Amino acid sequence: MPVAVSTGSALAPGSVLAPGADRVRSRPLPSDIVDRPVASALPTRLRPADLLRLTDEGAEDVLAGRYDHLLPTGGAWPAANRWATRLQADDEVDVWLISWVPDKSTELHDHAGSLGALTVLSGALSEFRWNGRELRQRTLSAGDQASFPLGWVHDVVRAPDHLAGPGGPQDPTLSVHAYSPPLTAMSYYEITGHGSLRRTRTVLTDEPEGDVK
């Protein structure tokens, strides 16, 4: 799926957050969600299916040019580090667009008390998920979606170009992510010599999929 986006002039290449991104407000939530009671076992009334729908709608809006004012100037996607901008935000959910670059992984991490989901717009992502015994790899290509329940520990990286389909190293790999409640913290992990996970640190952050630098 080609990324047919034009670009505005809100960001200088390499910027992490678009100026004014924190002022972006999300579209109103559907009435079936607004009227839904918060389940006692979850920190949010939104369900994984809701987040998948929000990322799909966000991806469509990006492709339709509705967020051109938040994109890098002149289409110059940063080539050295991941880039992200917040597309929507309210007290229940935040939605982000992320551009991925080769060889920059997020490290093994969770999303603390937030549920998550993503939709891939272009290129492909490699996800390495801890299943309790080992890391399992999968490739998420353009159009693919995934949701992340509480306790989901994974590492995400731009997939090799030969897995990304048409295009080349200079073409952006883009994905839209949603988190509910909005991210406030993430924990990072390493695999021990005994085949278990060890938490190495927890950081307070509202930036998606690891530190975007």
Side-chain angles (χ1 to χ4, degrees):
M1 179 173 61
V3 181
V5 297
S6 59
T7 56
S9 58
L11 284 183
S15 295
V16 172
L17 291 179
D22 288 336
R23 297 193 295 272
V24 175
R25 294 292 180 264
S26 66
R27 69 188 73 189
L29 291 173
S31 58
D32 66 313
I33 295 176
V34 173
D35 297 335
R36 184 188 302 161
V38 177
S40 59
L42 293 176
T44 172
R45 81 181 91 191
L46 299 182
R47 300 167 180 164
D50 299 320
L51 299 183
L52 289 169
R53 188 185 74 249
L54 287 172
T55 61
D56 188 52
E57 291 173 349
E60 291 180 356
D61 286 345
V62 170
L63 294 174
R66 297 187 180 96
Y67 292 113
D68 281 2
H69 61 291
L70 297 179
L71 302 185
T73 302
W77 297 94
N81 292 290
R82 292 197 312 281
W83 170 95
T85 189
R86 186 184 277 115
L87 302 179
Q88 302 178 27
D90 60 26
D91 291 340
E92 291 195 284
V93 63
D94 56 358
V95 181
W96 292 79
L97 173 67
I98 302 178
S99 173
W100 302 79
V101 296
D103 304 320
K104 295 286 186 179
S105 76
T106 62
E107 300 183 57
L108 279 175
H109 67 278
D110 65 23
H111 305 119
S114 298
L115 305 178
L118 70 81
T119 295
V120 180
L121 277 75
S122 63
L125 299 175
S126 292
E127 182 196 35
F128 300 84
R129 178 179 67 88
W130 180 254
N131 68 0
R133 301 180 306 276
E134 61 184 0
L135 291 177
R136 297 295 299 272
Q137 179 182 1
R138 62 173 170 173
T139 299
L140 300 170
S141 301
D144 288 343
Q145 295 188 294
S147 62
F148 313 124
L150 295 181
W152 191 275
V153 175
H154 68 171
D155 186 6
V156 183
V157 66
R158 174 173 165 155
D161 291 324
H162 72 275
L163 296 177
Q170 303 307 314
D171 292 326
T173 292
L174 303 175
S175 56
V176 172
H177 299 240
Y179 303 93
S180 183
L183 281 175
T184 57
M186 298 174 67
S187 292
Y188 292 85
Y189 300 85
E190 65 181 10
I191 301 174
T192 72
H194 303 290
S196 61
L197 281 186
R198 176 190 294 124
R199 185 170 60 187
T200 59
R201 68 191 188 280
T202 297
V203 299
L204 298 178
T205 183
D206 66 353
E207 295 182 355
E209 296 309 306
D211 295 331
V212 180
K213 297 178 179 179

